[in-house]
Amino acid sequence: MSVSAERRLGDRLARDIYRDPMYLDDPVIGDYLQQLWQPLLAAARERGEVPPDLAERLAWELMVSRDRAVNAFAMPGGYLGVNLGLLAVTERPEEVASVLAHELSHVSQRHIARLISREEKMAPWVMGAMVLGALAAGSNANAAGAAIVGSSAVAAQQSLNFSRDMEREADRVGFGVLTGAGFDGLGFVTMFDKLQQASKLNDDGAFPYLRSHPLTGDRIADMKARLPVGPLAASSPRPGLPTAEQHVLISARARVMAEKSPDRWRTWLSTGSADKATAGDRYAAALSAQRLGQRAQAIALAQTLRGQVGSASRPTVDALLMELLLSPGALATGQDVLLASLRDSALASSSRAMVLLGAQAALATGQPGRAVSRLQEWAVQHPRDAQAWQLLSRARSQQGQTLHAVRADAEAHVAQRDYAGALERLKAAQALPPAVRNADPIELAIVDSRRRDVELLLKEQMREAREE
Ligand SMILES: [Zn+2]
């Protein structure tokens, strides 16, 4: 299977995943994963594992699923799925990084392409059904679950299991990438241990990563042999890599977000409200309190947490605090001042979570113009950021600029490769009353030209669908 055919298949799957209710674009978790992912990708390129051609032509995009099952998986075209469950059970950044490095290596070594080529009978739609099924595992997501029917899909699912040699190769290459990026190689071993111990405790399928990645004694011994001899010094992370404390906060976030039971939230709220609660427990308590509708308590916990964490974790806590202040409810005395100050520093930040939260705060404080200017600048640099486009659309509506608002909404659909949805909105923009349309001739010209672009993209998309 050629690189471009693999990418096309991956793009099609990605389009379906964006619409899947299990798909989660949480900017805070996304920023954290990028802090792990970008150094891994850079190391893989530097080491020649990802040659320039592959770096350019595959997506190298992470997609998060709300799934509680401990899993991560490589998909065709350079897309990687990461479940909240994986973040929730890990204790250190290098543990997640080791799983990402392993999956990255399945992609860079073209294992998926090799499997698809080997299994010629596996039609791309079967592959699609299977990947979506993996994404929806543990949920009752109707469409995806129903897609896996018939014996051919089952056969395909079994044949996607990588061979032992491929697993070994992904371990070997992944270990080099992990340590090359500056992470502690011990992450591979502790992750293995964690999976192995957890699998002894529960056999309820919550660890699908083990089904696709059986932990043979060989694999563990191999990994241990790669580690330096002698006791490991407690290594401090390379500058720029996330700290253990940052990981603990994100892991707590994933734990709460993947949980639907109010009883668990109540337990976490009580644990994290104790005077000597750890930073992770306090984070989980604040978010649980918000889920339980106890907003004031959530804000108080986040403020305590702010004084508890190191400077590297401060932005993560500030993001939480903004999120809580922005959730429905009136602001107490002084909280409006706090929100305004968080807004100003967030708008000046280069982190995606901060930019998006800063823009929301600008909208909440009646300053849509500031949201528009920051989001526009951001969308130029990140044209595939659907959330930024959607927020820009809201800000434009708040300004009363309907034409701009509809066009930004269309761009959000383009960003998720939903060209039919985008075209519908561009047509609606062109059909606005003349007084609205003609108020901004430049924007109208952009709408006209984007419509032509999107029509071509849609044609191409439909032609590909017919060929497959
Ligand atoms: Zn693997």
Side-chain angles (χ1 to χ4, degrees):
M1 188 181 220
S2 71
V3 176
S4 50
E6 187 189 335
R7 176 65 195 267
R8 274 200 306 276
L9 174 57
D11 285 353
R12 270 193 45 204
L13 294 172
R15 201 175 75 225
D16 291 340
I17 291 169
Y18 290 135
R19 295 180 202 173
D20 192 298
M22 289 301 275
Y23 169 69
L24 173 70
D25 177 15
D26 180 70
V28 172
I29 288 179
D31 276 0
Y32 177 71
L33 286 173
Q34 288 304 318
Q35 275 185 274
L36 304 175
W37 181 236
Q38 291 305 326
L40 292 172
L41 203 50
R45 287 161 116 167
E46 215 168 281
R47 299 169 59 87
E49 304 294 357
V50 174
D53 176 52
L54 271 193
E56 174 89 3
R57 290 166 68 196
L58 295 183
W60 305 106
E61 183 177 325
L62 300 181
M63 306 179 99
V64 176
S65 165
R66 298 175 194 274
D67 202 326
R68 289 168 62 172
V70 179
N71 206 6
F73 41 92
M75 294 183 279
Y79 293 92
L80 268 85
V82 181
N83 287 358
L84 284 184
L86 178 75
L87 288 168
V89 298
T90 45
E91 286 162 291
R92 298 186 58 86
E94 58 267 26
E95 291 173 348
V96 176
S98 75
V99 174
L100 294 180
H102 175 99
E103 297 303 322
L104 182 153
S105 306
H106 278 313
V107 177
S108 70
Q109 307 308 116
R110 310 284 330 277
H111 289 166
I112 298 174
R114 274 195 259 161
L115 283 184
I116 297 177
S117 308
R118 189 184 301 166
E119 192 68 37
E120 278 172 27
K121 276 176 287 183
M122 195 201 294
W125 72 265
V126 176
M127 186 80 192
M130 188 183 64
V131 173
L132 285 178
L135 200 75
S139 79
N140 291 322
N142 38 17
I148 300 212
V149 285
S151 55
S152 59
V154 174
Q157 189 157 25
Q158 277 159 356
S159 68
L160 185 74
N161 284 346
F162 296 121
S163 69
R164 277 185 164 215
D165 285 347
M166 286 175 173
E167 289 306 343
R168 228 170 235 249
E169 191 180 31
D171 281 345
R172 178 181 56 77
V173 173
F175 186 83
V177 167
L178 180 76
T179 50
F183 290 101
D184 190 337
L186 196 60
F188 248 109
V189 177
T190 57
M191 190 69 215
F192 280 163
D193 286 347
K194 190 154 287 163
L195 289 167
Q196 206 171 32
Q197 272 173 16
S199 71
K200 280 178 198 150
L201 297 175
N202 58 45
D203 197 27
D204 62 354
F207 282 76
Y209 197 71
L210 284 183
R211 280 204 301 275
S212 53
H213 293 83
L215 285 173
T216 58
D218 282 5
R219 278 188 77 199
I220 297 176
D222 263 15
M223 262 322 131
K224 287 194 171 147
R226 285 181 220 283
L227 291 170
V229 189
L232 278 147
S235 53
S236 51
R238 191 183 279 187
L241 294 183
T243 62
E245 187 180 66
Q246 275 176 284
H247 182 84
V248 163
L249 300 180
I250 296 297
S251 175
R253 181 177 182 83
R255 186 152 49 101
V256 178
M257 290 184 85
E259 184 58 62
K260 292 187 194 94
S261 150
D263 284 343
R264 298 293 291 277
W265 293 335
R266 274 189 279 272
T267 307
W268 291 332
L269 173 55
S270 119
T271 309
S273 298
D275 283 348
K276 289 193 175 158
T278 63
D281 285 346
R282 191 154 280 145
Y283 189 108
L287 202 57
S288 297
Q290 188 232 21
R291 294 286 197 270
L292 291 163
Q294 302 177 24
R295 180 162 168 272
Q297 196 177 354
I299 293 172
L301 282 162
Q303 278 177 308
T304 309
L305 180 60
R306 207 163 174 237
Q308 182 178 0
V309 298
S311 58
S313 309
R314 195 60 71 76
T316 309
V317 179
D318 281 351
L320 172 68
L321 196 50
M322 287 181 84
E323 191 182 338
L324 299 173
L325 290 167
L326 286 167
S327 63
L331 294 176
T333 319
Q335 288 182 347
D336 48 348
V337 179
L338 177 61
L339 181 59
S341 106
L342 288 167
R343 174 200 63 206
D344 292 348
S345 53
L347 286 173
S349 161
S350 58
S351 118
R352 177 174 183 246
M354 283 301 175
V355 169
L356 297 181
L357 283 164
Q360 285 170 60
L363 289 183
T365 51
Q367 302 192 342
R370 291 184 67 190
V372 165
S373 62
R374 186 66 185 97
L375 288 169
Q376 244 176 346
E377 188 186 16
W378 180 265
V380 167
Q381 288 163 344
H382 307 90
R384 292 218 39 227
D385 190 335
Q387 251 192 72
W389 284 113
Q390 242 143 30
L391 210 48
L392 182 56
S393 176
R394 262 178 59 199
R396 288 295 199 177
S397 313
Q398 201 171 323
Q399 283 184 317
Q401 298 190 318
T402 312
L403 185 63
H404 280 90
V406 179
R407 209 265 290 185
D409 188 24
E411 298 291 358
H413 287 264
V414 174
Q416 298 200 330
R417 304 184 199 287
D418 173 14
Y419 303 130
L423 183 59
E424 213 173 281
R425 282 155 184 86
L426 291 168
K427 283 180 179 170
Q430 288 176 322
L432 286 167
V436 179
R437 258 185 297 148
N438 300 333
D440 191 341
I442 296 177
E443 184 67 10
L444 189 60
I446 296 175
V447 167
D448 293 341
S449 102
R450 289 300 280 152
R451 178 174 170 174
R452 287 190 294 275
D453 296 343
V454 168
E455 274 170 344
L456 284 177
L457 289 166
L458 184 61
K459 231 177 243 171
E460 176 81 354
Q461 201 174 59
M462 284 160 73
R463 191 180 55 77
E464 275 168 15
R466 271 199 306 276
E467 279 169 11
E468 284 155 5

